[in-house]
Amino acid sequence: MHKVVFPVSFRWAFLTGQKKCTHSSLGKLHLSGALCQKEDYKYTIPDIPEMPSCSFNPEEYKGMSKERMLDIRRQNCNPMTPKVTYYKRPVFIHQGYMQWLWDVDGRRYLDLFAGVATVSVGHCHPKVLTAAEQQLKKLWHTTNIYIYPTLHEYCEKLASYLPDPLKVIYLTNSGSEANDLAMLMARLHTGNYDIITFRGSYHGGGPQTLGLTSNAAYKYPVASGLGCTNTMCPDVFRGPWGGSHCRDSPVQTIRDCSCAQGHCKANELYIEQLRETLATSVPTRIAGFFAEPIQGVGGAVQYPRDFLKEAYRLVRERGGICIADEVQTGFGRTGSHFWGFQGHDVIPDMVTMAKGIGNGFPMGAVVTTPEIAASFARGVHFNTFGGNPVACAMASSVLDTIQEDKMQKVSLDVGTYLLKELAKLRDKYEIIGDVRGKGLMIGVEMVTDKTSRTPLPSGEMSEIFEDVKDMGVLIGKGGLYGQVTALNTPFLHFMSFTTIEAWMFEANLV
């Protein structure tokens, strides 16, 4: 197997505090805060660890040149694409297998982002691949006006993973589409219009779901998502209140608290903020409340343990229904439960899902109660591709694979190990402000210093991402300021933590 020997920038010298530098190589550095002072640093290229062995041999790439792909990307592809591209030197992906990706030059990468928490059971997992191939030989597509077994077998199977009364399923093609449909259903059922979400949330990029999404980077200066109100996110690290026992996570914040067992002052204060929103910003009757059990794009943000339980009660008192957005947290990603909402000891009125549902194949779903479904039946709703036979076959195989390979337990065990080891790095380095999450939904918040909790500037985050990529590891980015490293790996055993530590944070310099 090949060894990663790509040069790494001097940023890693800052992270590890190595002060061994010459003028000729790097010159004067003028970064402030926790990273460095005005000093000369000497950077020595580290001996990057060799990747664990892999028996899979990718096909040789014989396609379009990288230069031609870049030309087409500039001329014909969505011009928004470069704005969300992390890397100065792009990654040209050719093939994937389980936790690995290969570029067109044959270089192997460890995928710790899984296509934004989407590839749940691994790239091109053999069981899911076989299910897709078998279905493609029989039937690619037909309308769900007709009754075909793949759709009904999947709906029955998916419903068995959800508690009563969540048993009625609407299949879509994406999470944005699922949330858009859930908004409509909530308004029809309640007869009310206003919907509440958390600041920092991401629930989609469509004209309606943009109202649910609370992040300026995704907003446009046009009317969209009318009737949506954002309330304070109960973020126990970055928010005004939080303590050392708030989260349902193996790792707590470094903020102290003196709360007695079973009592959370931060929870009470954040609930008061929701009460204030209900009293001042919306009508006395509302349609619903959307919340991710753990904020995904927001940076793996976790709330106090009992917050959603009390929030659901307040919303229902106002006539609203409670919607759990499980697009990122669902299908065992949090490890302890199959659905993220179960970790909060609540049962929502509606669940939306996508991403891991089809292991990367475009698919989404809304699951709700018979009562809410009956309200929606007053009109006609039709989705041409929702319940596509290939999508259903692959999604059914994903459920089987998670069960048969005990992947939820893997997510719990590997994720807990990762979290605890990352917490050691947080305690060691001033630049790492917080480590949080459950299972294989992990966020590492980067700061200039722990006292101020000021987000690490985007330029410095970008350099870290470039370095990590050059070392053969692909990670994600989240948070309002892009300051959170997102680790959302496939549910697989992938490597020892010592290798990840060397690659991601220490570059084998300590």
Side-chain angles (χ1 to χ4, degrees):
M1 306 310 295
H2 72 274
K3 193 170 186 177
V4 185
V5 293
F6 283 61
V8 190
S9 81
F10 56 79
R11 176 68 53 199
W12 292 100
F14 298 153
L15 292 183
T16 54
Q18 302 298 299
K19 303 178 182 180
K20 310 180 279 188
C21 179
T22 64
H23 256 288
S24 58
S25 60
L26 299 177
K28 287 281 187 180
L29 305 174
H30 300 286
L31 297 175
S32 61
L35 297 182
C36 69
Q37 299 173 343
K38 290 184 179 180
E39 299 183 47
D40 288 346
Y41 284 70
K42 181 178 180 180
Y43 178 70
T44 305
I45 295 173
D47 181 18
I48 303 301
E50 189 172 345
M51 283 193 181
S53 62
C54 175
S55 59
F56 183 84
N57 293 311
E59 298 174 3
E60 181 183 357
Y61 179 74
K62 299 179 180 179
M64 187 180 293
S65 70
K66 290 187 283 189
E67 292 74 17
R68 182 60 183 145
M69 282 190 276
L70 285 176
D71 286 342
I72 294 171
R73 193 176 182 89
R74 285 188 290 264
Q75 296 172 24
N76 305 117
C77 292
N78 179 353
M80 191 60 62
T81 305
K83 293 189 71 173
V84 296
T85 300
Y86 296 147
Y87 304 120
K88 297 175 185 176
R89 299 179 296 280
V91 181
F92 295 82
I93 297 298
H94 165 48
Q95 194 166 352
Y97 179 75
M98 303 306 275
Q99 66 267 44
W100 304 107
L101 289 169
W102 285 263
D103 67 14
V104 297
D105 297 317
R107 185 172 180 222
R108 179 159 55 105
Y109 295 86
L110 174 65
D111 185 6
L112 296 186
F113 196 33
V116 195
T118 299
V119 182
S120 48
V121 299
H123 295 282
C124 300
H125 191 289
K127 293 179 183 177
V128 183
L129 179 61
T130 298
E133 290 174 338
Q134 290 176 347
Q135 185 59 49
L136 281 166
K137 292 175 183 177
K138 292 188 290 187
L139 182 67
W140 289 15
H141 175 74
T142 185
T143 169
N144 55 31
I145 290 173
Y146 308 126
I147 297 174
Y148 50 94
T150 322
L151 169 66
H152 299 81
E153 289 166 0
Y154 178 66
C155 285
E156 181 182 46
K157 186 181 293 185
L158 179 60
S160 72
Y161 282 81
L162 288 136
D164 289 329
L166 296 166
K167 296 298 177 184
V168 184
I169 297 168
Y170 296 80
L171 294 175
T172 67
N173 305 290
S174 70
S176 292
E177 191 179 298
N179 283 332
D180 185 85
L181 179 58
M183 293 175 71
L184 176 59
M185 295 174 76
R187 286 167 169 163
L188 283 171
H189 179 68
T190 63
N192 305 322
Y193 194 73
D194 288 70
I195 296 173
I196 297 173
T197 60
F198 289 136
R199 294 172 195 158
S201 62
Y202 182 87
H203 297 284
Q208 291 302 311
T209 53
L210 270 177
L212 302 177
T213 293
S214 177
N215 187 322
Y218 296 96
K219 299 287 190 178
Y220 292 87
V222 295
S224 62
L226 300 178
C228 296
T229 297
N230 307 127
T231 191
M232 179 182 283
C233 176
D235 181 348
V236 299
F237 172 72
R238 184 157 297 285
W241 309 292
S244 52
H245 305 286
C246 291
R247 300 191 296 219
D248 176 24
S249 173
V251 177
Q252 299 294 329
T253 71
I254 57 175
R255 300 173 76 172
D256 290 329
C257 72
S258 56
C259 296
Q261 185 70 27
H263 179 76
C264 181
K265 187 67 175 177
N267 183 57
E268 294 173 1
L269 292 167
Y270 285 118
I271 285 294
E272 282 305 309
Q273 290 296 308
L274 176 58
R275 289 181 190 274
E276 186 172 326
T277 298
L278 290 168
T280 62
S281 303
V282 294
T284 56
R285 306 292 288 177
I286 63 174
F289 168 64
F290 273 78
E292 303 160 86
I294 299 174
Q295 277 195 353
V297 175
V301 175
Q302 292 183 277
Y303 328 125
R305 283 185 176 89
D306 293 327
F307 182 90
L308 284 187
K309 189 181 293 186
E310 180 65 10
Y312 275 25
R313 186 184 68 79
L314 293 174
V315 168
R316 285 166 174 158
E317 283 180 354
R318 295 293 190 106
I321 65 172
C322 301
I323 301 103
D325 182 336
E326 295 275 359
V327 170
Q328 288 202 30
T329 52
F331 298 91
R333 179 159 289 281
T334 64
S336 61
H337 298 88
F338 200 80
W339 305 108
F341 68 78
Q342 293 170 316
H344 294 272
D345 194 24
V346 296
I347 296 180
D349 304 294
M350 201 178 297
V351 182
T352 60
M353 56 193 75
K355 290 190 182 291
I357 191 173
N359 202 43
F361 196 85
M363 191 176 188
V366 177
V367 185
T368 190
T369 68
E371 183 184 9
I372 295 173
S375 299
F376 191 55
R378 288 177 292 181
V380 175
H381 172 77
F382 181 73
N383 187 313
T384 300
F385 294 105
N388 171 274
V390 179
C392 287
M394 294 178 70
S396 182
S397 180
V398 167
L399 289 175
D400 293 343
T401 301
I402 292 172
Q403 190 79 11
E404 292 165 5
D405 295 355
K406 297 180 173 57
M407 286 190 167
Q408 183 180 325
K409 186 176 187 305
V410 170
S411 180
L412 177 63
D413 293 346
V414 174
T416 299
Y417 175 70
L418 256 178
L419 280 161
K420 290 181 177 179
E421 294 296 317
L422 286 165
K424 294 176 184 177
L425 297 185
R426 177 200 61 189
D427 298 339
K428 188 175 182 180
Y429 296 115
E430 186 72 6
I431 196 174
I432 303 174
D434 194 30
V435 172
R436 55 183 176 257
K438 285 181 67 179
L440 289 172
M441 186 166 186
I442 298 172
V444 180
E445 181 146 353
M446 311 297 277
V447 296
T448 58
D449 65 273
K450 289 183 169 71
T451 302
S452 71
R453 303 195 297 276
T454 301
L456 193 68
S458 60
E460 280 139 39
M461 283 295 295
S462 295
E463 288 198 46
I464 292 172
F465 271 70
E466 199 79 25
D467 292 344
V468 174
K469 177 263 295 182
D470 287 345
M471 287 187 273
V473 180
L474 303 180
I475 56 179
K477 193 185 295 185
L480 280 176
Y481 311 101
Q483 81 282 16
V484 180
T485 296
L487 305 180
N488 307 114
T489 79
F491 306 163
L492 302 164
H493 292 292
F494 41 87
M495 63 168 55
S496 70
F497 181 80
T498 53
T499 306
I500 295 173
E501 178 181 9
W503 265 325
M504 292 183 58
F505 296 105
E506 311 225 5
N508 211 26
L509 290 172
V510 293

